[in-house]
Amino acid sequence: MREKDAWMMNGYVGILTIAVLLAVTVVSFFQELFVIGAICLVVAVVLGSGITLIQPNQSVVVTFLGKYMGSIRREGIVITVPFSIRRTISLRVRNFNSSQLKVNDVNGNPIEIAAVIVFKVVDAAKAVFEVDRYEKFVEIQSETAIRAVATKYPYDTFTDEEVTLRGNAEEVSSHLAKELQERLTVAGVEVIETRLTHLAYSTEIAQAMLQRQQASAIIAARKQIVEGAVGMVQDAIERIEKEGNVELDEERRAAMINNLLVSIVSDSGTQPVVNTGSLYQ
């Protein structure tokens, strides 16, 4: 099913024609020309049955005796196929706010997720004939797409190597829009934008996952501190040896590395210890 243009004529010309026919009908009846009057009256009624008013950003789907005759997008008043059934479809941009859905992310953690879908009808024929109640179809398919996308990503991680629901909103929204467009093309609907409006762990595991997040954050921070400290110590030892200020054997090198690492990595300020003797005593 593809949208096509229905037969139509200018509405003002049609109304003027109907008025002329009615006038001829009246004159004919007064002059007892009943055949001419009846013909003009029938033609006027036939044309009058096709009068259709179309508002901006609307499309009228015309069917006659169960057959699709075409669609009309021209705003204003027109005359189309007489005695046809005409259904008005809005082409305006609309929003759909999904309910909060409880799903499992890729790691199996239960989460709550919701999204807003911005869409519009671009093919009125498909919206009417390819699906039953396209508004309900958009609602159900949107929730299905949200569930499908949510199960493909973790809620959150502390590495930049993996796309997450919380940390990569743009990528997730793009994936959701693509997934949803594939489902809604059959209904003649174009997805303009999708955005997550709610994202959280389920209440039964929210506290435990918060503790897990805190622990993961601490581990990640410690790892970064240690990596930075090792680099700083290596630079310090290399500079000392390069400038030749101090001769370091293996034991002195190990002691200096230990002291520097403790000073850098320690949470609290380190207390200096003055060694008045030799390192070997």
Side-chain angles (χ1 to χ4, degrees):
M1 177 65 65
R2 290 185 176 274
E3 190 175 64
K4 62 181 181 179
D5 294 331
W7 176 86
M8 65 177 181
M9 64 179 296
N10 186 283
Y12 299 104
V13 174
I15 292 175
L16 180 60
T17 303
I18 293 171
V20 172
L21 290 172
L22 291 176
V24 172
T25 300
V26 173
V27 173
S28 299
F29 283 163
F30 276 114
Q31 296 181 354
E32 297 183 355
L33 301 174
F34 298 109
V35 175
I36 296 176
I39 293 174
C40 292
L41 180 61
V42 170
V43 174
V45 171
V46 169
L47 288 177
S49 67
I51 296 177
T52 304
L53 184 64
I54 306 173
Q55 297 182 6
N57 274 335
Q58 284 187 343
S59 178
V60 172
V61 178
V62 182
T63 57
F64 180 70
L65 298 179
K67 182 178 180 181
Y68 171 59
M69 305 302 296
S71 303
I72 304 174
R73 294 197 178 197
R74 176 181 175 180
E75 63 184 61
I77 186 170
V78 299
I79 292 182
T80 185
V81 180
F83 302 110
S84 58
I85 298 175
R86 298 176 288 276
R87 178 175 175 181
T88 301
I89 300 296
S90 175
L91 305 178
R92 297 163 184 163
V93 176
R94 281 176 283 180
N95 290 328
F96 165 68
N97 290 302
S98 72
S99 57
Q100 293 186 12
L101 307 175
K102 183 178 290 187
V103 298
N104 293 335
D105 67 2
V106 71
N107 295 326
N109 300 317
I111 62 174
E112 295 177 351
I113 188 171
V116 59
I117 313 297
V118 183
F119 71 96
K120 67 176 182 178
V121 175
V122 293
D123 192 317
K126 287 185 177 180
V128 173
F129 299 114
E130 292 291 348
V131 296
D132 186 17
R133 296 177 59 195
Y134 75 92
E135 298 95 338
K136 190 67 176 178
F137 183 81
V138 170
E139 178 181 344
I140 295 175
Q141 292 300 321
S142 297
E143 294 185 353
T144 303
I146 293 171
R147 290 181 181 275
V149 171
T151 58
K152 295 180 180 179
Y153 299 101
Y155 176 89
D156 194 12
T157 62
F158 292 94
T159 63
D160 297 330
E161 300 176 356
E162 192 172 7
V163 177
T164 64
L165 296 172
R166 190 180 70 89
N168 302 91
E170 292 293 335
E171 290 83 348
V172 174
S173 296
S174 297
H175 187 179
L176 177 58
K178 182 179 179 181
E179 179 87 15
L180 190 55
Q181 185 61 70
E182 293 176 354
R183 298 169 182 266
L184 297 182
T185 299
V186 66
V189 173
E190 177 186 355
V191 179
I192 300 175
E193 185 183 14
T194 60
R195 291 288 176 183
L196 297 182
T197 57
H198 177 77
L199 182 64
Y201 282 114
S202 286
T203 53
E204 61 267 23
I205 67 163
Q207 186 62 33
M209 296 309 296
L210 178 60
Q211 295 176 352
R212 178 181 175 182
Q213 285 183 343
Q214 292 173 343
S216 299
I218 292 173
I219 293 173
R222 284 291 184 184
K223 181 179 179 180
Q224 187 173 1
I225 290 173
V226 171
E227 290 177 353
V230 170
M232 293 171 63
V233 171
Q234 288 177 345
D235 293 341
I237 297 298
E238 290 176 359
R239 183 172 179 180
I240 290 173
E241 293 180 339
K242 182 177 180 181
E243 294 180 357
N245 297 329
V246 179
E247 293 291 338
L248 298 176
D249 56 18
E250 292 300 325
E251 190 171 354
R252 290 180 182 273
R253 179 194 292 268
M256 179 170 288
I257 291 174
N258 178 71
N259 293 335
L260 289 173
L261 284 175
V262 170
S263 300
I264 297 172
V265 175
S266 177
D267 286 334
S268 58
T270 56
Q271 300 296 325
V273 177
V274 178
N275 183 12
T276 57
S278 171
L279 181 64
Y280 303 101
Q281 293 179 358

